């Protein structure tokens, strides 16, 4: 009889004491939980230790992709489940993951999880936020790319197998906190693109912004998500504006430095 594959839950965190208990409770059945902390000043570490997580520390911040790579180096399981503090594994998803763990290792397969994203009190079913499949369960041989934001797993030629059940994602509970996070993402995105030599004109700033609004509200049927759908369309447009306006501004700054 084939032995069950060991599962390592891997997380990167900072000041997540409020969200961590429910997250860790939802994966307490895993063989180990690896938590890489980047300087928490709240009760994050105490909560992690309460749930038996193995805690490691990194004072530097190389970006999301590299931080996930580093966290994974401490994992010992054959399979990795990468999650965030604002995510919860539902019982249905746990059952699907357990089924994978009971099968012989398949190094050419990775697994996508369907996320239910919460936005201002509503789990969205449209607006481009559902089904929001992310590859988070995979053999340890795979790793994340180096992107500072919007990082993803380097899957190569692997077959991506969708799993049943949902990963609940508490995306936006506090509107202002969500906006601050979006602004930080936009800044990191613009800086990364600027370093890669990317530039954009002012027309692109507004065309991308309008496109993001129309895509969310109309093409992705955001209007079916009620008031939250309309607000999300504006938020997505605002985020897109911030990204491209920041990239445009960096280009202007570089041009001025050369004069």
């Amino acid at each position: 009889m084939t032995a069950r594959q060991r599962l390592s839950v891997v997380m990167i965190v900072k000041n997540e004491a409020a969200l961590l208990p429910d997250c860790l409770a939802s994966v307490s059945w895993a063989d180990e939980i690896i938590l890489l902390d980047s300087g928490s000043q709240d009760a994050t570490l105490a909560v992690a230790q309460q749930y038996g997580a193995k805690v490691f520390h990194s004072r530097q911040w190389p970006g999301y992709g590299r931080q996930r790579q580093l966290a994974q180096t401490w994992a010992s399981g054959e399979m990795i489940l990468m999650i965030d503090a604002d995510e919860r594994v539902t019982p249905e998803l746990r059952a699907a993951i357990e089924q994978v763990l009971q099968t012989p290792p398949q190094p050419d397969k990775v697994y996508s999880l369907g996320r239910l994203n919460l936005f201002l009190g509503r789990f969205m079913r449209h607006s481009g936020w559902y089904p929001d499949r992310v590859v988070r369960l995979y053999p340890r041989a795979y790793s994340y790319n180096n992107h500072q934001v919007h990082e993803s797993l380097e899957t190569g030629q692997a077959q991506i197998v969708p799993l049943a059940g949902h990963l609940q994602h508490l995306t936006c509970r506090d509107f202002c906190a969500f906006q601050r996070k979006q602004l930080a993402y936009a800044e990191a995105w613009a800086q990364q693109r600027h370093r890669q030599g990317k530039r954009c004109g002012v027309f692109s700033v507004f065309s991308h912004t309008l496109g993001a609004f129309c895509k969310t509200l109309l093409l992705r049927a955001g209007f079916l998500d009620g008031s939250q759908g309309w607000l999300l369309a504006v938020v997505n447009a605002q985020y897109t504006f911030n990204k491209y306006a920041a990239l445009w501004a960096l280009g202007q700054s570089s041009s001025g430095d050369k004069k």
Side-chain angles (χ1 to χ4, degrees), residues 28-49:
S28 59
W29 46 272
D31 296 286
E32 67 176 3
I33 300 174
I34 303 296
L35 187 146
L36 177 58
D37 182 78
S38 56
S40 291
Q41 297 177 332
D42 62 1
T44 291
L45 301 184
V47 172
Q49 291 166 356

Side-chain angles (χ1 to χ4, degrees), residues 181-246:
K181 188 174 183 180
Q182 291 285 85
L183 184 59
Y185 279 167
E187 181 182 7
W189 180 92
Q191 290 175 346
Q192 179 175 309
R193 291 300 177 94
H194 182 70
R195 285 194 297 269
Q196 294 171 345
K198 305 294 185 181
R199 301 291 186 270
C200 75
V202 70
F203 176 78
S204 293
V205 175
F206 291 101
S207 63
H208 280 96
T209 299
L210 180 60
F213 177 82
C214 293
K215 181 183 292 185
T216 302
L217 189 67
L218 301 176
L219 297 182
R220 294 176 174 171
F223 60 90
L224 295 177
D225 279 320
S227 300
Q228 286 89 341
W230 282 86
L231 288 173
L232 182 58
V234 175
V235 167
N236 283 346
Q238 183 181 42
Y239 172 59
T240 302
F241 172 82
N242 289 337
K243 287 198 306 181
Y244 285 93

Side-chain angles (χ1 to χ4, degrees), residues 15 42 71 73 84 91 95 99 146 149 160 173 193 204 228 244:
N15 295 330
D42 62 1
T73 61
D84 293 326
Q99 189 173 4
N146 296 331
V149 293
I160 300 176
R173 305 164 309 284
R193 291 300 177 94
S204 293
Q228 286 89 341
Y244 285 93

Side-chain angles (χ1 to χ4, degrees), residues 64-73 82 143-146:
Y64 285 92
R66 291 187 183 275
Q67 191 79 340
R68 293 193 192 279
Q69 294 171 16
L70 179 60
Q72 188 174 315
T73 61
M82 184 74 70
S143 185
Y144 273 73
N145 57 30
N146 296 331

